[in-house]
Amino acid sequence: PGQRLKALILKVEKTTKGPEIILSRSYPKFVSKLFELEVPEISQGQVEIKSIAREPGSRTKIAVFSKEKGIDAIGATVGQRGMRVQAVIEELGGEKIDIIEYSEDPEKYIANSLSPAKVLEVKILPKNKALAIVPDDQLSLAIGKDGQNVRLAAKLTAWKIDVKSKSQVEKEMSSEENEKSS
């Protein structure tokens, strides 16, 4: 009692007992509305939230894009010393938020979406699939705990992302070459 909570109004229905208001704190649009409240560049339309992927209570990935030259979309969203993003994190009860830069180029966008892992190369495959090649020491970071990082990256980008380490790819390439030569 007495605790203040922000929530997103999903719908209002008229029932026999009066109006019924359905609220949500897990809907991805809730995160974008919190950022609109905290980041003036988003509410003024200079920075646009292109996509949000969320697993409520644990992690959110958000892709931002600056419509104006000279405005750093990620910097504006994070704020000085992380003040803006910290306010959103507190409202979400400590949920981790990854802010990545949106790109029209799918290879760059997919590489960005797998952050904090460093991606060496992204190969676009047929049927909306992509292969991300990462350094051997970055494989577990790219995949994330229980596959969460790659799952959120796939949701964010709308691509099916397969992550492999550089040594895995090299081993597959050499075994394919051995099969061709025999």
Side-chain angles (χ1 to χ4, degrees), residues 84-151:
R84 292 172 175 176
V85 73
Q86 205 56 49
V88 175
I89 289 170
E90 283 174 27
E91 183 61 45
L92 296 173
E95 187 173 307
K96 289 181 176 63
I97 299 177
D98 293 341
I99 301 167
I100 65 132
E101 190 170 358
Y102 174 80
S103 175
E104 291 289 332
D105 174 21
E107 292 170 5
K108 190 173 182 207
Y109 186 34
I110 291 166
N112 290 348
S113 73
L114 286 167
S115 77
K118 303 283 179 268
V119 178
L120 297 173
E121 183 184 357
V122 174
K123 291 180 180 176
I124 301 298
L125 307 171
K127 296 182 183 171
N128 220 32
K129 290 184 180 176
L131 171 65
I133 301 167
V134 298
D136 294 1
D137 63 337
Q138 296 274 304
L139 184 62
S140 62
L141 185 62
I143 293 170
K145 188 177 180 184
D146 298 323
Q148 184 183 52
N149 194 48
V150 73
R151 192 170 50 247

Side-chain angles (χ1 to χ4, degrees), residues 17-181:
K17 296 177 185 170
E20 187 177 90
I21 302 168
I22 315 265
L23 302 174
S24 172
R25 286 179 51 87
S26 63
Y27 201 66
K29 192 88 178 146
F30 178 59
V31 177
S32 71
K33 292 295 179 188
L34 288 175
F35 273 109
E36 277 179 36
L37 291 172
E38 290 298 327
V39 184
E41 289 87 345
I42 292 175
S43 55
Q44 292 165 3
Q46 296 165 315
V47 172
E48 184 182 343
I49 296 173
K50 286 285 193 178
S51 180
I52 295 176
R54 185 164 185 226
E55 288 187 2
S58 62
R59 182 173 229 114
T60 295
K61 277 189 183 277
I62 177 171
V64 293
F65 177 74
S66 175
K67 293 179 175 179
E68 293 182 25
K69 293 258 187 272
I71 293 181
D72 173 20
I74 295 173
T77 310
V78 171
Q80 283 184 314
R81 294 189 304 275
M83 297 279 291
R84 292 172 175 176
V85 73
Q86 205 56 49
V88 175
I89 289 170
E90 283 174 27
E91 183 61 45
L92 296 173
E95 187 173 307
K96 289 181 176 63
I97 299 177
D98 293 341
I99 301 167
I100 65 132
E101 190 170 358
Y102 174 80
S103 175
E104 291 289 332
D105 174 21
E107 292 170 5
K108 190 173 182 207
Y109 186 34
I110 291 166
N112 290 348
S113 73
L114 286 167
S115 77
K118 303 283 179 268
V119 178
L120 297 173
E121 183 184 357
V122 174
K123 291 180 180 176
I124 301 298
L125 307 171
K127 296 182 183 171
N128 220 32
K129 290 184 180 176
L131 171 65
I133 301 167
V134 298
D136 294 1
D137 63 337
Q138 296 274 304
L139 184 62
S140 62
L141 185 62
I143 293 170
K145 188 177 180 184
D146 298 323
Q148 184 183 52
N149 194 48
V150 73
R151 192 170 50 247
L152 283 172
K155 223 186 272 185
L156 187 74
T157 59
W159 283 81
K160 292 182 180 101
I161 303 170
D162 191 14
V163 178
K164 290 188 178 175
S165 69
K166 190 173 187 211
S167 62
Q168 282 177 315
V169 173
E170 286 169 354
K171 194 185 283 182
E172 287 173 13
M173 298 280 250
S174 66
S175 66
E176 284 176 17
E177 286 173 15
N178 290 343
E179 284 176 18
K180 284 180 184 174
S181 62

